[in-house]
């Protein structure tokens, strides 16, 4: 289990400046009065509604306001769908890769405090026995509704682009071993990142597509042509585009060009100001379009916790000034990002339209997971998952399935 030395709880510090964690029962009952959240800029699939309203009755958004509804005035605020994180290794000092079930729940709650109402738990490279055991543990949490699925990042990745993965544990993609991981996840395997140019890569992509698991191209040294071939075989996601892959070249365009140009591919971006230059983010949005970008955290234990020493799988990580790097070699080792920070950076520094940020944080990942009928937008019939932001795009409230995770304490 990863631990932090001298870590601080930055989430609690943030919450003391305004909104605070709710103390309500996480399993909503039927005796709560419905809510009418009114006056905010409400971001809907059709655009932003000024001075709009969202009605919550029980766990769902509804289109009709009951007579006993309680009004909450959100004038001057933004109301957006709960964030959906496709790629997350932990937070709050807890690791999804090595922590106990209680540790994993702690990490999930840390990200909920920052607006992530739906989260896919990611593993890192390990030996097959360990990963299958881990899949079993995480699948139990998926069955309880705590996580939306499991993402296996490694061990089927390129040693040339291993990043913060143990080279000694890497292996070529073997469809039989890929099947073993999927089976261990008991129907909750959501995504698997692999270097598709390795022996067995294309056959593994085909297997994943047949089993309904997202094949993600990442930690790859593939050429442009090899990447095109993998997309044709069924790969549909670029794992943290630009990072852990060859750079874009004018004679050897590599995987980046292939992933950006194909309309079937969703590209993950880590918008923390460390992993990407703003021009790279702009390039992705310009060429892929706002409907094909998914902001992720790629967070490790230190997210929402603080600087210090951690373990990421078998590798030691030093987090300083919020940037995680391997102690040996200095490679960036995931991030300490939370999605509320990714949202604020997108609209205040990158100058993206709020609607594009909502697409990248909520709509697109919900669609990719096949859950857009329940999450990803503020529409009647969907889960009451929402985030309240003030005029400066600071998080003020979080609701998940009709229960406040962060109570906005507004009238």
């Amino acid at each position: 289990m990863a631990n932090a030395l001298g870590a601080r709880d930055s989430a609690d510090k943030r919450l003391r400046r305004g909104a605070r964690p709710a103390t309500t029962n996480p399993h909503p009952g039927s005796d709560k009065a419905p809510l009418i959240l009114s006056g905010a800029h409400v971001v809907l699939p059709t655009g932003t509604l000024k001075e709009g309203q969202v009605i919550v009755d029980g766990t769902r958004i509804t289109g009709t306001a009951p007579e006993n509804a309680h009004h909450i005035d959100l004038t001057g605020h933004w109301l957006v769908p709960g964030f959906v994180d496709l790629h997350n290794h932990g937070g709050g000092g807890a690791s999804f890769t090595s922590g106990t079930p209680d540790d994993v729940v702690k990490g999930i709650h840390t990200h909920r405090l920052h607006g992530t109402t739906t989260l896919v738990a990611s593993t890192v490279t390990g030996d097959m026995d360990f990963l299958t055991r881990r899949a079993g543990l995480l699948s139990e949490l998926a069955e309880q509704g705590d996580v939306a699925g499991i993402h296996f990042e490694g061990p089927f990745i390129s040693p040339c682009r291993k990043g913060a993965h143990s080279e000694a544990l890497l292996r070529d993609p073997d469809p039989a071993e890929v099947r073993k991981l999927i089976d261990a996840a008991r129907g909750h395997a959501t995504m698997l990142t692999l270097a598709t140019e390795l022996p067995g890569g294309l056959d593994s992509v085909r297997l994943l597509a047949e089993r309904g698991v997202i094949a993600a191209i990442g930690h790859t040294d593939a050429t442009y042509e090899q990447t095109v071939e993998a997309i044709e075989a069924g790969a549909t996601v670029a794992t943290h585009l630009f990072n852990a892959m060859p750079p874009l070249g004018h004679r050897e365009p590599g995987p980046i060009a292939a992933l950006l140009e194909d309309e079937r591919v969703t590209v993950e971006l880590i918008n923390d100001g460390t992993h990407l230059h703003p021009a790279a983010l702009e390039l992705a949005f310009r060429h892929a379009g706002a409907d094909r970008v998914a902001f992720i955290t790629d967070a490790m234990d230190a997210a929402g916790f603080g600087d210090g020493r951690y373990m990421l799988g078998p590798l030691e990580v030093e987090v300083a000034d919020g940037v995680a790097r391997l102690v040996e070699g200095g490679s960036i080792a995931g991030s300490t990002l939370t999605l509320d920070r990714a949202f604020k950076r997108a609209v205040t520094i990158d100058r993206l339209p709020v609607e594009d940020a909502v697409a990248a944080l909520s709509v697109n990942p919900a669609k990719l997971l096949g859950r857009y009928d329940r999450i990803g937008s503020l529409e009647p019939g969907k889960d009451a998952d929402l985030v309240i932001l003030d005029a400066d795009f600071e998080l003020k409230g979080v609701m998940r399935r009709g229960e406040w995770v962060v109570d906005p304490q507004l009238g």
Side-chain angles (χ1 to χ4, degrees):
M1 168 185 168
N3 66 54
L5 305 178
R8 63 184 183 275
D9 193 337
S10 59
D12 283 349
K13 289 183 179 181
R14 176 185 61 78
L15 291 166
R16 285 197 292 269
R17 295 198 296 269
R20 61 181 178 82
T23 57
T24 52
N25 185 342
H27 304 287
S30 59
D31 58 343
K32 295 189 64 178
L35 296 176
I36 301 176
L37 309 175
S38 61
H41 299 303
V42 181
V43 182
L44 301 172
T46 54
T48 298
L49 181 62
K50 295 183 178 180
E51 298 184 4
Q53 71 175 20
V54 172
I55 304 166
V56 176
D57 193 355
T59 64
R60 301 290 186 89
I61 297 169
T62 184
T64 305
E67 292 183 1
N68 64 333
H70 175 64
H71 287 257
I72 297 180
D73 183 7
L74 296 179
T75 301
H77 291 73
W78 290 85
L79 196 55
V80 302
F83 306 144
V84 181
D85 196 351
L86 298 170
H87 186 156
N88 189 316
H89 298 279
S95 168
F96 299 157
T97 295
S98 58
T100 66
D102 286 345
D103 292 329
V104 176
V105 170
K106 177 184 177 183
I108 294 165
H109 185 67
T110 295
H111 285 281
R112 286 182 186 168
L113 293 174
H114 293 273
T116 298
T117 52
T118 301
L119 180 150
V120 174
S122 301
T123 63
V124 297
T125 293
D127 65 48
M128 289 300 298
D129 287 342
F130 173 80
L131 288 174
T132 53
R133 291 196 303 272
R134 200 70 201 162
L137 182 151
L138 293 173
S139 67
E140 292 179 6
L141 294 172
E143 288 160 5
Q144 296 169 14
D146 292 311
V147 299
I150 304 166
H151 164 219
F152 298 100
E153 188 178 18
F156 311 116
I157 61 175
S158 171
C160 302
R161 305 286 174 176
K162 64 183 184 297
H165 292 254
S166 172
E167 185 169 355
L169 296 173
L170 301 182
R171 60 186 66 211
D172 290 340
D174 181 342
E177 291 189 327
V178 170
R179 185 181 293 107
K180 184 177 180 180
L181 288 182
I182 296 172
D183 290 344
R186 303 202 299 265
H188 299 289
T190 297
M191 182 163 64
L192 188 145
T193 294
L194 70 166
T196 55
E197 76 277 9
L198 296 176
L202 293 179
D203 286 340
S204 295
V205 169
R206 295 185 186 101
L207 170 64
L208 291 165
E210 290 170 1
R211 296 289 295 270
V213 179
I214 297 165
I217 299 173
H219 289 277
T220 176
D221 204 40
T223 64
Y224 173 88
E225 292 76 14
Q226 289 171 326
T227 306
V228 168
E229 192 175 9
I231 296 169
E232 290 298 328
T236 57
V237 166
T239 294
H240 42 56
L241 186 73
F242 299 108
N243 299 115
M245 59 182 62
L248 186 66
H250 65 291
R251 292 192 180 93
E252 297 180 0
I256 294 172
L259 293 163
L260 282 176
E261 72 184 12
D262 198 298
E263 295 182 355
R264 294 169 291 183
V265 176
T266 298
V267 298
E268 295 181 348
L269 298 177
I270 308 172
N271 192 29
D272 61 354
T274 298
H275 282 78
L276 296 176
H277 189 282
L281 182 137
E282 182 181 3
L283 178 71
F285 270 88
R286 185 178 299 274
H287 288 274
D291 61 344
R292 287 179 45 219
V293 173
F295 283 146
I296 60 164
T297 61
D298 194 17
M300 45 83 71
D301 313 21
F305 204 62
D307 291 353
R309 288 283 181 105
Y310 298 80
M311 296 299 296
L312 185 61
L315 304 178
E316 191 172 14
V317 176
E318 176 77 32
V319 179
D321 297 325
V323 178
R325 293 185 180 276
L326 292 182
V327 171
E328 185 176 344
S331 176
I332 293 177
S335 85
T336 62
L337 185 63
T338 53
L339 285 182
D340 57 334
R341 287 169 44 210
F343 189 109
K344 181 173 181 177
R345 181 179 179 86
V347 297
T348 62
I349 296 176
D350 302 312
R351 301 297 179 183
L352 290 179
V354 173
E355 295 81 2
D356 287 359
V358 168
L361 285 157
S362 304
V363 177
N364 301 339
K367 288 180 177 179
L368 190 68
L369 292 175
R371 297 189 177 210
Y372 191 61
D373 60 329
R374 293 291 302 272
I375 61 173
S377 66
L378 302 176
E379 296 178 271
K382 292 195 174 184
D383 290 348
D385 292 354
L386 55 87
V387 174
I388 299 169
L389 305 163
D390 67 14
D392 297 319
F393 299 100
E394 289 287 339
L395 184 145
K396 293 299 178 182
V398 180
M399 177 180 285
R400 182 175 185 270
R401 297 180 186 174
E403 289 286 340
W404 291 116
V405 179
V406 177
D407 192 329
Q409 295 294 292
L410 299 170

